[in-house]
Amino acid sequence: MGNVLVWVVWFLAAGGCLASGVAVVSVTNPFFSALALIGNLASLAVLYLLLAAEFVAAAQVLVYAGAVMVMFLFVVAYLGGRADAPWAGGPPLLRSAAVVAAVALLVEIVVVLGLAWGDNLTDPAEVSDSFGSPAAIGEAFLTDHLLAFEITSIVLLVAAVGGVVLGTTREKEDEAA
Amino acid sequence: MDGPDVGWYIVVAAMLFGIGALGVMMRRSPLIVLLSLELMLNAANLTLIAFARQQGNLDGQIFALAVMAVAAAEVAIGLGLIVAMGRRRMLLDVDQASALRG
């Protein structure tokens, strides 16, 4: 019975994930596109929970769907109607080439993973209840992955400074504009 | 493990990556290109976490968290660029922003 429930939740989350992904790409208005991405991130968080990644799911909802998407919505609001760009660009040949390239990428991923892993994806490892818990993640971050943890903080700092520099205009440029 | 095998998650991630790649290649609004890029990053994250579960190894989840941090940095820079484009009254269309083309 519990098993059936997991399948139902999985299908809802995976369906919501793909449907909102299509919405992100196909909607004209960037505001609705951003809202669709929030739905996509939330349904991905459900999939993460099913994969025993509790901390990543919580971080996904708080950091991604919360903070990052609010930043997006602020920029969409700042740009207003100018943010609405035409749907797709280029001649029809380029557009169909894009579809072909995307489908080729998809097939490539499935074939490569299928060849390398096809037979080995049925028996997941046994994991304890603490797998993916904040305590386990914190311990891994502060022991084995301490360097990655520290470098990430520098990357975020540099990106924040860069964002401010890019977003600020000097007075000369304002006159020119 | 209750429910679907890890392979099912990989298929969803591959489809999500394809949708995101299509958005990056087809759309003209830089905002929607950035959003599609987020889709691709999240598909990669789902793959990392699925394989972490398969192997019973926490390293994949650590990698996914690092990807999230880098994605946040990328959004900060990308939105900064878009705001700069908006301030200079440039047309918000990635096909028009071609001043650096060789």
Side-chain angles (χ1 to χ4, degrees), chain A residues 134-156:
Chain A
I137 296 273
E139 198 188 336
F141 251 137
L142 293 179
T143 53
D144 293 345
H145 302 282
L146 187 59
L147 183 65
F149 186 68
E150 296 297 340
I151 289 179
T152 302
S153 67
I154 297 175
V155 168
L156 282 174

Side-chain angles (χ1 to χ4, degrees), chain A residues 8-155:
Chain A
V8 170
V9 172
W10 186 85
F11 266 108
L12 286 178
C17 176
L18 291 178
S20 53
V22 170
V24 169
V25 173
S26 57
V27 167
T28 325
N29 188 333
F31 178 73
F32 292 117
S33 191
L35 286 189
L37 188 64
I38 292 179
N40 184 271
L41 297 171
S43 46
L44 271 174
V46 174
L47 290 181
Y48 293 171
L49 279 180
L50 292 178
L51 286 166
E54 293 101 11
F55 181 74
V56 184
Q60 168 102 346
V61 171
L62 287 175
V63 177
Y64 232 132
V68 173
M69 295 316 295
V70 166
M71 204 154 71
F72 250 108
L73 291 177
F74 266 123
V75 172
V76 172
Y78 169 73
L79 294 171
R82 298 182 51 220
D84 301 343
W87 199 89
L93 186 68
L94 267 183
R95 268 184 257 175
S96 34
V99 176
V100 171
V103 172
L105 258 180
L106 174 63
V107 171
E108 217 170 287
I109 295 167
V110 170
V111 166
V112 167
L113 287 179
L115 285 180
W117 287 88
D119 303 332
N120 302 323
L121 283 178
T122 47
D123 262 333
E126 291 294 325
V127 292
S128 63
D129 282 347
S130 67
F131 186 77
S133 68
I137 296 273
E139 198 188 336
F141 251 137
L142 293 179
T143 53
D144 293 345
H145 302 282
L146 187 59
L147 183 65
F149 186 68
E150 296 297 340
I151 289 179
T152 302
S153 67
I154 297 175
V155 168

Side-chain angles (χ1 to χ4, degrees), chain A residues 3 6-7 10-11 14 17-18 21-22 24-30 33-34 37 40-41 44 47-48 50-53 55-56 59-60 63-64 68-69 71-72 75-76 78-79 82-83 85-90 95 98-99 101-102 105-106 109-110 113 117 120-125 127 131-132 136-137 140-141 145 152 155-156 159 162-163 166-169 173 177, chain B residues 1-32 34-36 38-43 45-47 49-59 61-62 64-93 95:
Chain A
N3 205 0
V6 174
W7 272 97
W10 186 85
F11 266 108
C17 176
L18 291 178
V22 170
V24 169
V25 173
S26 57
V27 167
T28 325
N29 188 333
S33 191
L37 188 64
N40 184 271
L41 297 171
L44 271 174
L47 290 181
Y48 293 171
L50 292 178
L51 286 166
F55 181 74
V56 184
Q60 168 102 346
V63 177
Y64 232 132
V68 173
M69 295 316 295
M71 204 154 71
F72 250 108
V75 172
V76 172
Y78 169 73
L79 294 171
R82 298 182 51 220
W87 199 89
R95 268 184 257 175
V99 176
L105 258 180
L106 174 63
I109 295 167
V110 170
L113 287 179
W117 287 88
N120 302 323
L121 283 178
T122 47
D123 262 333
V127 292
F131 186 77
I137 296 273
F141 251 137
H145 302 282
T152 302
V155 168
L156 282 174
L166 284 170
T168 340
T169 16
E173 286 165 1
Chain B
M1 184 170 155
D2 283 346
D5 281 324
V6 168
W8 290 78
Y9 293 91
I10 305 292
V11 170
V12 172
M15 289 166 79
L16 202 59
F17 190 89
I19 294 170
L22 191 64
V24 169
M25 287 188 280
M26 285 186 82
R27 298 305 301 266
R28 296 170 86 171
S29 163
L31 275 165
I32 293 184
L34 261 187
L35 288 167
S36 305
E38 296 292 307
L39 277 186
M40 293 168 77
L41 284 167
N42 275 294
N45 263 355
L46 181 58
T47 317
I49 290 172
F51 277 118
R53 177 69 187 78
Q54 172 75 22
Q55 305 279 311
N57 187 339
L58 218 48
D59 291 357
Q61 294 191 13
I62 300 284
L65 285 168
V67 169
M68 278 169 66
V70 172
E74 168 246 313
V75 167
I77 297 292
L79 289 180
L81 283 172
I82 294 172
V83 168
M85 280 172 82
R87 285 218 167 157
R88 292 174 180 221
R89 311 283 190 277
M90 278 170 73
L91 201 59
L92 284 176
D93 182 340
D95 288 356

